[in-house]
Amino acid sequence: MWRCAGTLRRSAGPERTANRTCNVAVAVVIGLPSGTRVWLAAGVTDMRAGFNSLAAKVQTVLERDPFCGHVFVFRGKRGSLVT
């Protein structure tokens, strides 16, 4: 997840709306509990599939519980999309 770390400017008008300009993007890192495994799918995945379909792939192919707390990462055809 990326968050804008730009400056906050207020307009001079009577409504005083805040405008945010994004000059720098800062990565927000989500910490994982110790013992959490990250599973990477080694093939191309149809990214049109919903979460239920991806959870079914975890159950059938990896023979794992998709709700066990581990992270399962799937890659799209072009490699530019990861879920």
Side-chain angles (χ1 to χ4, degrees), residues 26-54:
V26 176
V28 178
V29 179
I30 299 172
L32 298 175
S34 63
T36 302
R37 291 186 177 186
V38 178
W39 297 81
L40 300 175
V44 175
T45 304
D46 183 8
M47 299 311 280
R48 297 174 295 178
F51 285 109
N52 291 337
S53 176
L54 295 174

Side-chain angles (χ1 to χ4, degrees), residues 11-72:
S11 64
E15 66 278 343
R16 302 190 74 145
T17 58
N19 296 325
R20 182 175 290 275
T21 59
C22 189
N23 300 331
V24 179
V26 176
V28 178
V29 179
I30 299 172
L32 298 175
S34 63
T36 302
R37 291 186 177 186
V38 178
W39 297 81
L40 300 175
V44 175
T45 304
D46 183 8
M47 299 311 280
R48 297 174 295 178
F51 285 109
N52 291 337
S53 176
L54 295 174
K57 289 184 183 200
V58 169
Q59 287 177 332
T60 57
V61 177
L62 295 176
E63 297 177 353
R64 301 286 181 201
D65 178 18
F67 305 105
C68 64
H70 298 303
V71 178
F72 299 94

